[in-house]
Amino acid sequence: MKKSFFITLLSIFVCGQAWALTDIEISGEADLNALVHLLPTGEAGETEFRVPSLLLNFSVPLKEGNLLYVSFEGAQKRSETSESFMVNTREAYLDLVSIFEGVSALRMGVVPQSWLEAQYEDVNYRFLGETAYGLTEKWKYETYSDLGAGFMSELPGDLGEWSLSVVNGEGRDQDSAGPHKEGALFLRFTSWNPFAITLQYIHGTYEQYGDEVAAKERIQASFLYKPEDSKTKIGIELLDTHDPAGAITDGKMADGVDVVSLAGQAVHGFGGSAFTIFGVGPKSEVMLRYDYLDAAVGEPDKNLQTGIVSFAYQVTEDVKTALAVDHTWYADNYGKGIRDASKVELAAQVLF
């Protein structure tokens, strides 16, 4: 309800300030997938057609350099009993820059997480579907955006950029009426081109699992090699997490890992990802990626591994296609009914 009210206020704001607007930029992205399941055995050979994401973005320049940005995302939502296509507000924020000197902004509204925003700007294979999402979004340790506010600026000495944000901590699909919020400090060092180092620390508190294990923590680090005049990209990402076992179960984090036996305890997770992208022609490139997660450090057989191989072809400037194969291996004690899975898919990313 609060989010609907917030979006209504944004609409009123836009209409009421129409005299102050310049050119409104409208853009979007359609992700289209056709896939064939290889594993598990019960789904082997099944074919699916999906629209993992459909984005529509409105960038509204305001007076004195301020900006209003609204993005809607349509995506398939699955449950155990049904499947539907739903449209939600992905981002809806005001960037207030006119009150600051230099490259700084105060951002308020449904704000994107700085880490994922930067990651998808550098390497965006999200159109392949959830398997290729950023680690925190893929394993549901974080949502892409949340209600809150943040401040972003440049680091001294042209070292890079930083941001500090405070959000509800419940994701953009849920309200949080409680006192506990989630804070994030983001640092990105880009002065050592073609290398970039990114760090993020997130701390929050859950309100329903007991004070002794209420802490929510994310520690992230990444290294990216990205030459300006080359298609080659090499990246490594590390992720460290702490959550109550109940939050992991209720939030369906970490691909549904079974931590019921750890009820009332804090669970430590550790994961990482390594990838490389290299060109094999003027319009073609190959992407290799490996993800690893130990969802409950110290517990036996609570880890998973995913490998992705993709061959992509840039049909035109706004249309990219890819043929990809992925496989996920789960340890024997990962979760009830969870089996190794793999698929081959033909995907397209259409920008407009």
Side-chain angles (χ1 to χ4, degrees):
M1 179 65 71
K2 289 183 179 179
K3 286 184 178 148
S4 299
F5 178 69
F6 175 76
I7 299 303
T8 301
L9 286 179
L10 280 177
S11 301
I12 294 173
F13 175 82
V14 172
C15 295
Q17 299 295 323
W19 58 271
L21 304 181
T22 58
D23 295 333
I24 298 176
E25 298 180 8
I26 302 176
S27 62
E29 176 181 336
D31 300 337
L32 312 169
N33 288 19
L35 59 93
V36 178
H37 290 277
L38 305 179
L39 288 173
T41 305
E43 296 180 355
E46 289 188 4
T47 303
E48 285 190 60
F49 298 96
R50 295 180 181 175
V51 181
S53 185
L54 180 62
L55 300 175
L56 184 60
N57 313 313
F58 298 86
S59 183
V60 185
L62 305 176
K63 285 186 175 181
E64 299 183 20
N66 300 317
L67 175 73
L68 178 68
Y69 186 84
V70 181
S71 176
F72 299 99
E73 180 177 27
Q76 288 172 305
K77 300 294 183 181
R78 295 186 171 194
S79 66
E80 295 179 356
T81 59
S82 65
E83 179 177 346
S84 60
F85 191 87
M86 300 180 65
V87 178
N88 293 304
T89 304
R90 178 176 171 86
E91 302 170 65
Y93 59 80
L94 171 68
D95 271 350
L96 189 60
V97 302
S98 60
I99 60 176
F100 304 104
E101 293 183 1
V103 184
S104 300
L106 176 64
R107 179 169 288 182
M108 301 174 289
V110 182
V111 298
Q113 189 196 94
S114 295
W115 180 278
L116 289 170
E117 184 180 35
Q119 187 176 48
Y120 291 142
E121 287 177 358
D122 286 332
V123 180
N124 189 1
Y125 268 80
R126 194 176 184 271
F127 71 98
L128 294 181
E130 290 187 7
T131 306
Y133 284 8
L135 296 186
T136 50
E137 186 178 22
K138 170 181 179 177
W139 292 325
K140 298 182 180 179
Y141 284 117
E142 291 290 330
T143 59
Y144 179 80
S145 58
D146 202 346
L147 273 165
F151 178 80
M152 58 196 69
S153 187
E154 293 181 315
L155 288 168
D158 294 326
L159 288 175
E161 58 185 331
W162 68 277
S163 71
L164 181 65
S165 61
V166 178
V167 299
N168 278 340
E170 300 289 341
R172 64 179 185 264
D173 297 329
Q174 297 184 43
D175 294 326
S176 176
H180 297 148
K181 303 304 175 187
E182 177 180 301
L185 174 63
F186 171 85
L187 302 170
R188 183 169 174 82
F189 301 93
T190 57
S191 61
W192 307 299
N193 188 53
F195 302 99
I197 297 174
T198 309
L199 304 171
Q200 180 167 264
Y201 177 72
I202 297 176
H203 185 83
T205 305
Y206 294 98
E207 305 194 20
Q208 64 268 48
Y209 301 109
D211 294 339
E212 296 79 8
V213 295
K216 171 184 179 179
E217 191 174 57
R218 309 282 182 261
I219 302 173
Q220 297 168 263
S222 76
F223 170 89
L224 177 65
Y225 171 71
K226 183 183 177 184
E228 290 184 3
D229 299 326
S230 173
K231 289 185 178 181
T232 301
K233 299 173 186 176
I234 300 173
I236 298 174
E237 178 182 352
L238 299 175
L239 170 65
D240 190 87
T241 70
H242 291 84
D243 298 274
I248 293 176
T249 300
D250 294 342
K252 299 180 180 179
M253 300 178 194
D255 260 13
V257 64
D258 184 2
V259 289
V260 173
S261 63
L262 301 177
Q265 302 180 42
V267 177
H268 174 207
F270 180 80
S273 178
F275 74 87
T276 181
I277 299 172
F278 53 91
V280 292
K283 291 189 174 184
S284 305
E285 64 184 24
V286 171
M287 187 271 287
L288 307 175
R289 173 172 161 177
Y290 170 77
D291 297 342
Y292 172 84
L293 175 66
D294 186 347
V297 175
E299 296 295 310
D301 294 330
K302 294 292 185 183
N303 57 76
L304 67 80
Q305 305 172 71
T306 297
I308 308 172
V309 179
S310 169
F311 174 80
Y313 182 77
Q314 195 76 45
V315 181
T316 62
E317 187 177 346
D318 52 6
V319 177
K320 184 176 185 177
T321 61
L323 179 64
V325 178
D326 66 68
H327 189 103
T328 300
W329 301 264
Y330 296 93
D332 293 339
N333 195 37
Y334 196 85
K336 297 178 181 178
I338 294 179
R339 297 179 291 176
D340 293 354
S342 64
K343 64 181 182 295
V344 57
E345 66 179 308
L346 179 63
Q349 179 190 53
V350 182
L351 305 177
F352 57 91

